[in-house]
Amino acid sequence: MRRLSMNISAVAAACAAALLAGCNLAPVYKTPDLPVPETVSANAAPVQASEAALQQAQALQWLQSPQLRDVVALALSNNRDLRVAVESIEKARAQYGITRADLLPGITAQAQGNRTRSAADLTTTGRSTINEQYTAQLGFASYELDLWGRIRNLSEASLQQFLLSQENQRNVQISLVADVSNAWLTLAADQARLQLAKDTLDSRIKAFELTRKMYELGSTSGLVLAQNQTTVDTARGDVASYTSQVDRDRNALQLLVGGPVPAALLPTAQTLMNGADTAALKAVPVPLPSTVLLKRPDVQAAERNLQAMNASIGAARAAMFPSITLTGSIGTGSSDLDRLFGNSNSTWSFIPLVRLPIFDGGRNRANVQVAESNQRIALSQYEKSVQTAFREVADVLADRAQWGERLSAQTSMVANTQKAFDLSNARFKAGVDNYLSVLDAQRSLYTAQQTLIGLRLSEQLNRVTLWKALGGEETAQQS
């Protein structure tokens, strides 16, 4: 009967082992859904923004356009680079938790049962025997006493890496807002260029039809007709070119946003031409304190990295000193499961271990030198990030000071070239001048109008760049 019970127990143990071996805690893999339409030319449903992203975008009051703020909210909800940055923070937080856990001993519980059968020829009695042994223990293994701060410094380095990942995420977010704003404004400028090209084409077609009638009546030459045809062909080419460019701008904006943008949020041809500022910034204090630049996320990240490397030196130096690790356990043991927790069956063990480095071929000293070199590299990188921030802000402010004069001059040039074109056209129609002067005036007017659109775009981009260069600080925002 006892042998049957043993067989049943063995079968039960084997079944339990088989069931445990069949468990798999990994999540079931599923191929992610593609965040794009089924075909390249197809239109997909626009993406949606989360409530938190909408509130975050509405706080950017320096962006005057409500449509642009809504587009920024879409990007904050769906941009994949920003998602990677956020998950990097979670990863760094978990890594910091792992390192910090080494400051405390890890306590584990363990229960073990052992049944062995000895062959008859191996026993003194000449009979086979079955031995049973059961133990239950609670203890910790290899807990290091942090006498020299090695573990504390490793924990500090991990903490700084976690804080660095937060600054990187903030830097990605600021860059994303700037990139989305730039892409949206560029789309608006190219739509204005496209509208100008279409209007120019319409006027040149009308002029060509008038010239052709004059040619048919014999009041003008075939040279003038051919010259007029070239202006129509040039305008047709510009319309085709800017139509393609607008489509590419829209694709670039959708990539930044993370999906299709609702048509109601896209800029129009009049967005940059209505005289209102899409990006309005408050005047920057002059002189601007350099300490403002220290709040930039890239500068903060460089300083976090420097602090992490500094803590790593302490960890490397601590490895050169003796270390003490402790292993201990308390428990109970018995050859009979029913008497496992009997009063006289308690067990304990305590094993301190002192490790003193005597000769390691210079490994520990070399590790200290590596850590010190990393710290000096991080210091140079921090100084370089501060210098880069200073130069970026100085460059933007240098351009900022001249934008009013440049826009005023170009606006005047457009008005004067318009007058020159009108006079040349009138003189040609009156027979006073040839058509070549009309062509020159027409080209000058078209070029001046295109240049004005480009300057208005560049001025708005300069405002966005200034906000970004200042690290998204309130200093550059409109009140």
Side-chain angles (χ1 to χ4, degrees), residues 161-181:
Q161 290 295 331
F162 163 62
L163 297 176
L164 183 151
S165 68
Q166 288 185 321
E167 297 299 337
N168 286 339
Q169 186 268 342
R170 191 161 68 95
N171 190 40
V172 170
Q173 182 170 310
I174 291 174
S175 298
L176 176 61
V177 172
D179 290 344
V180 170
S181 301

Side-chain angles (χ1 to χ4, degrees), residues 114-335:
N114 185 17
R115 294 169 61 91
T116 60
R117 181 180 185 277
S118 301
D121 290 345
L122 300 179
T123 62
T124 56
T125 61
R127 299 172 59 184
S128 62
T129 59
I130 295 178
N131 298 317
E132 298 181 7
Q133 183 178 346
Y134 302 94
T135 59
Q137 293 181 332
L138 185 69
F140 58 90
S142 300
Y143 170 61
E144 180 178 347
L145 297 180
D146 194 25
L147 300 177
W148 317 109
R150 187 183 76 88
I151 298 177
R152 289 194 303 273
N153 280 309
L154 289 176
S155 178
E156 175 65 19
S158 182
L159 173 61
Q160 295 303 325
Q161 290 295 331
F162 163 62
L163 297 176
L164 183 151
S165 68
Q166 288 185 321
E167 297 299 337
N168 286 339
Q169 186 268 342
R170 191 161 68 95
N171 190 40
V172 170
Q173 182 170 310
I174 291 174
S175 298
L176 176 61
V177 172
D179 290 344
V180 170
S181 301
N182 291 341
W184 194 86
L185 291 168
T186 301
L187 175 59
D190 284 335
Q191 286 181 327
R193 292 186 177 107
L194 175 59
Q195 187 61 50
L196 175 61
K198 289 180 177 179
D199 293 342
T200 301
L201 176 60
D202 291 340
S203 64
R204 290 181 181 180
I205 288 176
K206 293 178 182 179
F208 174 76
E209 292 298 331
L210 179 60
T211 304
R212 185 172 63 178
K213 291 179 180 179
M214 295 173 62
Y215 172 74
E216 292 173 351
L217 294 174
S219 60
T220 190
S221 65
L223 175 60
V224 173
L225 182 64
Q227 289 174 335
N228 213 309
Q229 179 65 55
T230 61
T231 64
V232 174
D233 293 338
T234 301
R236 286 174 56 198
D238 287 347
V239 169
S241 176
Y242 287 121
T243 299
S244 176
Q245 185 60 49
V246 165
D247 290 338
R248 289 197 297 268
D249 292 342
R250 190 179 294 109
N251 293 336
L253 181 61
Q254 289 181 356
L255 177 61
L256 289 170
V257 170
V261 180
L265 301 182
L266 294 175
T268 65
Q270 301 303 317
T271 297
L272 289 179
M273 310 306 293
N274 56 14
D277 291 328
T278 302
L281 302 180
K282 186 173 65 175
V284 177
V286 179
L288 179 67
S290 298
T291 53
V292 173
L293 306 180
L294 299 181
K295 298 180 181 180
R296 282 181 33 148
D298 57 336
V299 175
Q300 291 283 318
E303 186 174 7
R304 296 296 184 187
N305 184 54
L306 176 59
Q307 292 172 326
M309 294 302 102
N310 195 70
S312 296
I313 294 177
R317 288 175 177 173
M320 302 178 65
F321 291 85
S323 62
I324 300 176
T325 58
L326 304 177
T327 300
S329 66
I330 58 173
T332 181
S334 175
S335 60

